[in-house]
Amino acid sequence: MMIRPSALAIAASLLALSACGPDDADAPVEVRGELAFEADGLDTDVFAVVELADASDPEAPQAGFARIEIAGADSPVAFSFQADPAQIDPDASYAVTAAAFSGSEPVLLSDPVPVDVSQRPIEAGTVALAPLIIEDGLEGGGQEGPADAVYQCGDIPVIVEFDGQGGATLYHAEDEFALRRTEESGARYALEDDPSTFLEDRGGEAVIEVGGESLGQCLRFF
């Protein structure tokens, strides 16, 4: 599948809104809008992830995100989440983007919707989700297992490339790891000589550890 790079880093922590005064520059910023989609034919486990990120810099930290349950819902579905002002560069161009997943597979994707981050709250308006189109030849016909994936773990994007033969290459920071699918689970991949480095996909989220150190919450976007 085509991996569309974007700023998908999860904000490390968000301050509680109730703990901040209305004029506090460090107070979380509300981002709101609505998701529009064609509800007919969606699986019962479908959910969406919406994010605010710097549209001009794929390496910039994500400012905020939310998981939105859309299974069985009528379109549009309103969303609202908190963004970390410390992760917002007032001189950069920001956009809200959404993707919907069925299990661990992306099925819908939006175009980036530019927003004015000087607004309070930040208004995204309508974010339209459309079927994800895989260009011929990009997914490798007959490939077994999931397509290539992008996860966000803390502030760092993690890219995983699956070879369709039970192997996967995990790219984390400056390192890469050649993993193999384990016998006990088709969704778990680990280093053969160091099983403390592994990936376990849990449908939209993943557990990823490197040398026994957890990368924290890892959210799959593509």
Side-chain angles (χ1 to χ4, degrees), residues 142-216:
Q143 170 179 306
E144 59 177 273
D148 296 347
V150 176
Y151 302 89
Q152 283 314 127
C153 305
D155 287 334
I156 300 175
V158 174
I159 297 174
V160 180
E161 295 179 351
F162 299 92
D163 65 9
Q165 306 296 321
T169 303
L170 185 150
Y171 299 90
H172 169 248
E174 300 299 320
D175 300 317
E176 64 179 81
F177 304 93
L179 310 181
R180 295 295 302 175
R181 187 169 54 215
T182 63
E183 294 181 359
E184 61 266 23
S185 172
R188 185 183 177 95
Y189 294 76
L191 275 179
E192 290 185 297
D193 58 354
D194 179 13
S196 68
T197 296
F198 69 88
L199 155 75
E200 183 174 323
D201 190 282
R202 294 183 175 178
E205 296 182 337
V207 175
I208 301 177
E209 293 189 8
V210 175
E213 284 194 29
S214 172
L215 301 188

Side-chain angles (χ1 to χ4, degrees), residues 28-180:
V29 179
E30 182 186 9
V31 182
R32 65 189 187 189
E34 61 181 21
L35 291 176
F37 53 93
E38 178 56 58
D40 291 343
L42 289 181
D43 292 337
T44 57
D45 63 349
V46 146
F47 65 92
V49 175
V50 189
E51 66 153 1
L52 172 69
D54 184 345
S56 62
D57 183 3
E59 301 301 321
Q62 180 198 54
F65 80 101
R67 173 172 170 150
I68 311 296
E69 301 300 332
I70 62 173
D74 293 326
S75 176
V77 171
F79 65 81
S80 175
F81 61 90
Q82 304 297 316
D84 183 356
Q87 301 290 359
I88 297 177
D89 179 354
D91 297 322
S93 298
Y94 281 78
V96 169
T97 308
F101 298 84
S102 176
S104 63
E105 294 302 315
V107 292
L108 303 173
L109 184 68
S110 79
D111 288 327
V113 176
V115 294
D116 180 357
V117 293
S118 68
Q119 284 185 329
R120 295 296 183 271
I122 298 172
E123 299 283 358
T126 299
V127 180
L129 288 164
L132 181 63
I133 298 175
I134 307 298
E135 293 185 10
D136 291 342
L138 289 177
E139 197 169 37
Q143 170 179 306
E144 59 177 273
D148 296 347
V150 176
Y151 302 89
Q152 283 314 127
C153 305
D155 287 334
I156 300 175
V158 174
I159 297 174
V160 180
E161 295 179 351
F162 299 92
D163 65 9
Q165 306 296 321
T169 303
L170 185 150
Y171 299 90
H172 169 248
E174 300 299 320
D175 300 317
E176 64 179 81
F177 304 93
L179 310 181
R180 295 295 302 175

